[in-house]
């Protein structure tokens, strides 16, 4: 047998033995890791507190207002030729936003923006926060708009 062939044969056998030994060691290491990482499950029991019905209703009245919602007769309109989209738009159109209550998301009695600073109670705020909240940012906004080219 030639020396080169013998050397290649020995290399092949050693490589196979190393692969076999490594697979065996990796398998045992994985098993050890799995055993060490098994989570411990602990059960926590919490007491539930029942909210009185009066509190539920009062919160609902604060948010939605206590005036009953007036249901208006609704005639479906054809907004688009797509029937699914048209159904969605009609459903949205007949929804109530409850604009009559004082807690409505938008008050239509006043204009949205007058340009004047909004009144805000800053007595309980730290002075730094109060000055940042009540500061007139119109000059800053003009500079930003000028930089943007508007």
């Amino acid at each position: 047998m030639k020396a080169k062939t013998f050397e290649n044969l020995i290399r092949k056998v050693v490589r196979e033995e190393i692969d076999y030994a490594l697979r065996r060691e990796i398998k045992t290491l994985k098993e050890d890791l799995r055993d060490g990482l098994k989570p411990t499950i602990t059960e926590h029991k919490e007491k539930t507190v029942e909210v009185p019905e009066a509190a539920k209703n009062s919160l609902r009245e604060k948010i939605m207002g206590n005036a009953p919602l007036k249901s208006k007769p609704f005639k479906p309109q054809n907004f688009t030729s797509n029937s699914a989209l048209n159904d969605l738009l009609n459903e949205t159109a007949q929804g109530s936003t409850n604009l009559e209550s004082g807690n409505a998301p938008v008050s239509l009695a006043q204009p949205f923006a007058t340009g004047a600073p909004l009144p805000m109670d800053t007595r309980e705020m730290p002075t730094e926060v109060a000055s940042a909240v009540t500061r007139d940012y119109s000059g800053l906004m003009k500079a930003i708009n000028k930089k943007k080219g508007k």
Side-chain angles (χ1 to χ4, degrees):
M1 185 181 280
K2 293 185 181 176
K4 191 70 173 171
T5 309
F6 184 67
E7 182 183 332
N8 287 339
L9 186 63
I10 290 176
R11 284 180 190 257
K12 183 179 178 183
V13 170
V14 168
R15 190 175 296 127
E16 287 175 0
E17 286 299 317
I18 289 174
D19 285 345
Y20 176 72
L22 282 175
R23 281 194 201 113
R24 202 173 47 209
E25 286 300 314
I26 289 174
K27 184 178 180 181
T28 57
L29 287 173
K30 281 183 178 179
E31 288 173 359
D32 290 344
L33 278 175
R34 269 190 228 119
D35 293 341
L37 294 178
K38 284 188 178 177
T40 305
I41 299 173
T42 56
E43 185 176 336
H44 297 283
K45 293 188 178 190
E46 297 178 11
K47 293 193 321 188
T48 57
V49 178
E50 190 64 32
V51 178
E53 196 64 33
K56 287 181 187 177
N57 289 338
S58 66
L59 181 60
R60 181 173 176 260
E61 287 173 1
K62 284 180 183 177
I63 294 172
M64 299 297 292
N66 54 4
L69 297 176
K70 301 167 192 150
S71 61
K72 301 172 189 170
F74 182 75
K75 180 183 148 209
Q77 296 177 353
N78 192 13
F79 294 104
T80 179
S81 60
N82 184 339
S83 64
L85 182 58
N86 199 43
D87 291 342
L88 258 173
L89 290 171
N90 276 312
E91 189 177 314
T92 304
Q94 68 182 332
S96 172
T97 55
N98 194 14
L99 295 176
E100 289 80 26
S101 101
N103 295 322
V106 175
S107 173
L108 299 177
Q110 300 172 347
F112 290 121
T114 61
L118 297 172
M120 184 172 289
D121 183 20
T122 59
R123 286 178 281 181
E124 295 181 16
M125 291 183 191
T127 56
E128 296 83 10
V129 175
S131 65
V133 168
T134 57
R135 179 179 168 198
D136 180 20
Y137 288 97
S138 61
L140 175 65
M141 295 309 295
K142 285 178 186 175
I144 290 172
N145 288 337
K146 183 178 178 183
K147 187 173 184 179
K148 287 183 178 179
K150 291 184 180 180

